[in-house]
Amino acid sequence: MYAFIRGAARPVTRDEAAASVGISRKLAAFHLDKLVDAGLLRSRYEAVGGIRKVGRTPKVYEPAGVDFAVTIPPRRHGVLADILLDAVVTETEGETARDSALRVAAQRGEAIGAAERDELRPGRLGAERGLTLTETVLARQGFEPRRETPTCVRLRNCPFHPLAGQAPDLVCGINQAFLGGIVTGLEVPGVDAVLVDAPVGGCCVELRGTQAGG
């Protein structure tokens, strides 16, 4: 129904949406309103064809004008593209393309970490609590963190896969700089983002606490 409404280039009634996929009007209404709740459609009451008829004005639906994508496991290719684009635009004289990308990645990560810290307001942190906070933030970023030991967090998902497989030195370096920036922005003491060998689909970086407890 969503595809039908996008292709209609005009507001669509519940009856039209139901007919497009061969379901009842009642079932169509349920799913259409769910799409509205999700922000993919917007709805209003409007006379079809601009002609007011006797009876209740029908509810019509049209695209909300937002982009929507689902990937399982989570992928964040847009983040990587933004970093590379910004690196090209801001590259300074004497700076290599790689160095520019690493700089931008670290800055982008630090901004995210600082914003998360302002929101979470964690107070003073020791290394172990710092790892816990970092796990929470990286889960939001799609890395699927898992605590392996009290001082080690492995990241089960690479949001930049499969692009990391095409240029591992570059993408993994960007990823390490990005995650290191998040740690810096969070002001987490004694935690490092370290490059490691990772299984296919896993992240090439893990987080290690330099001290236990705290």
Side-chain angles (χ1 to χ4, degrees), residues 75-78 80-81 84 158-172:
R75 302 298 184 215
R76 298 180 66 84
H77 297 157
L80 183 60
L84 293 174
C158 172
F160 304 141
H161 185 78
L163 298 177
Q166 298 178 27
D169 289 343
L170 174 61
V171 177
C172 291

Side-chain angles (χ1 to χ4, degrees), residues 7-29:
R10 60 173 177 78
V12 171
T13 67
R14 288 173 169 176
D15 288 329
E16 291 174 315
S20 73
V21 293
I23 61 177
S24 70
R25 182 181 185 278
K26 183 177 181 180
L27 183 58

Side-chain angles (χ1 to χ4, degrees), residues 145-214:
R146 180 177 65 190
R147 184 72 68 96
E148 294 286 332
T149 71
T151 58
C152 179
V153 174
R154 294 299 305 269
L155 307 174
R156 292 173 292 173
N157 180 52
C158 172
F160 304 141
H161 185 78
L163 298 177
Q166 298 178 27
D169 289 343
L170 174 61
V171 177
C172 291
I174 289 173
N175 192 24
Q176 182 186 24
F178 178 68
L179 293 174
I182 289 177
V183 170
T184 299
L186 287 170
E187 298 179 5
V188 173
V191 176
D192 295 321
V194 181
L195 282 174
V196 296
D197 291 330
V200 175
C203 183
C204 56
V205 178
E206 69 181 26
L207 300 175
R208 296 177 184 171
T210 56
Q211 57 183 352

Side-chain angles (χ1 to χ4, degrees), residues 44-94:
R44 63 179 182 276
Y45 291 95
E46 178 182 285
V48 179
I51 301 174
R52 184 65 179 271
K53 297 182 179 179
V54 177
R56 186 177 180 181
T57 302
K59 195 173 188 179
V60 296
Y61 300 82
E62 59 188 355
V66 298
D67 294 334
F68 183 78
V70 175
T71 56
I72 301 174
R75 302 298 184 215
R76 298 180 66 84
H77 297 157
V79 172
L80 183 60
D82 285 345
I83 289 171
L84 293 174
L85 180 61
D86 199 11
V88 171
V89 172
T90 65
E91 183 178 335
T92 60
E93 185 177 354

Side-chain angles (χ1 to χ4, degrees), residues 83-84 87-88 95-106 170 174 177:
I83 289 171
L84 293 174
V88 171
E95 188 178 39
T96 67
R98 177 185 174 84
D99 288 343
S100 180
L102 296 180
R103 170 179 55 78
V104 171
L170 174 61
I174 289 173

